[in-house]
Amino acid sequence: MTKIETKPEPEYPPSPYSSPIGKSNIESHTLSVLVDNEPGVLARVVGLFSARSFNIESLTVAEVVHETHQSRITIVTSGTIEVVEQVRHQLERLVPIHSVTDLTETARAIERELAMVKVRGKGDPRLEALQLAEAFRAKVIDATTESFIFEITGNPRKIDDFVDLMRPIGLVEVSRTGVAAISRGPKGI
């Protein structure tokens, strides 16, 4: 009988994405990025995430300072504190980025999202959908004899809860804006 010789596996430091230690420390972070509103900026920001295999869970962009043509990009991503810090530093080096703020580190940040939720239903399910919508402060923005479209705003968890409750009633589809976030108090980013 011949003995098969095997090479020992090389020891690498654990990846924050694949190790149990790294996975247990993964947190969601909301980054607010102030940029010049010009062609290609969004592509460069998204390309930075893509090239490093970082996931973007939510992305919103809008011009916020019309006089100087600056836009705010709000990005929700997940990772260990070290990974998110690395992303933040890499974003700061991109031109034309003016500032990068991790709003998750600001205890007084506010996050909101808007969703439109289409639900099909007649009879009791229809009444149940209306009662739940009232409890969640969702507005009816369109109604037919067989369906509703609700508009709901709030933190992402509230919207997730509303959508989950509408599933058994007759959820048809959901359209979400993504997270918009801002820090509280008198100072800007």
Side-chain angles (χ1 to χ4, degrees):
M1 190 168 352
T2 48
K3 201 175 193 181
I4 299 175
E5 207 171 298
T6 59
K7 291 182 181 179
E9 289 290 319
E11 290 191 30
Y12 298 106
S15 164
Y17 297 107
S18 61
S19 76
I21 295 169
K23 286 185 179 178
S24 65
N25 295 328
I26 291 179
E27 301 173 355
S28 181
H29 286 259
T30 303
L31 304 176
S32 184
V33 185
L34 192 62
V35 301
D36 286 341
N37 186 4
E38 59 185 47
V41 174
L42 181 59
R44 281 186 264 160
V45 169
V46 171
L48 184 144
F49 279 79
S50 176
R52 289 153 182 82
S53 298
F54 298 144
N55 189 39
I56 295 176
E57 296 169 13
S58 173
L59 175 72
T60 57
V61 185
E63 189 171 76
V64 292
V65 184
H66 299 294
E67 299 80 22
T68 58
H69 302 288
Q70 292 181 339
S71 291
R72 174 179 273 189
I73 303 173
T74 304
I75 302 167
V76 178
T77 189
S78 292
T80 62
I81 292 171
E82 295 81 15
V83 168
V84 173
E85 191 67 18
Q86 177 187 12
V87 170
R88 192 173 67 75
H89 288 307
Q90 290 172 349
L91 282 170
E92 288 171 341
R93 289 196 297 261
L94 286 180
V95 174
I97 290 182
H98 296 279
S99 67
V100 180
T101 305
D102 186 348
L103 292 175
T104 310
E105 294 175 352
T106 307
R108 299 170 46 96
I110 297 172
E111 293 184 356
R112 290 292 180 264
E113 186 173 10
L114 178 135
M116 292 184 289
V117 181
K118 187 186 293 185
V119 179
R120 177 181 18 237
K122 289 183 174 184
D124 288 341
R126 185 176 177 84
L127 293 174
E128 186 179 356
L130 283 170
Q131 290 169 343
L132 285 169
E134 187 177 328
F136 277 81
R137 297 183 183 164
K139 294 185 221 170
V140 176
I141 58 172
D142 186 62
T144 69
T145 57
E146 296 181 8
S147 68
F148 288 109
I149 298 176
F150 297 106
E151 176 186 296
I152 182 169
T153 58
N155 69 42
R157 278 189 218 108
K158 174 185 173 183
I159 293 171
D160 290 341
D161 291 344
F162 182 72
V163 168
D164 288 344
L165 289 170
M166 290 296 165
R167 278 185 211 292
I169 295 171
L171 180 71
V172 176
E173 67 179 318
V174 178
S175 179
R176 295 174 78 151
T177 60
V179 173
I182 196 166
S183 60
R184 293 184 67 196
K187 294 184 180 178
I189 60 168

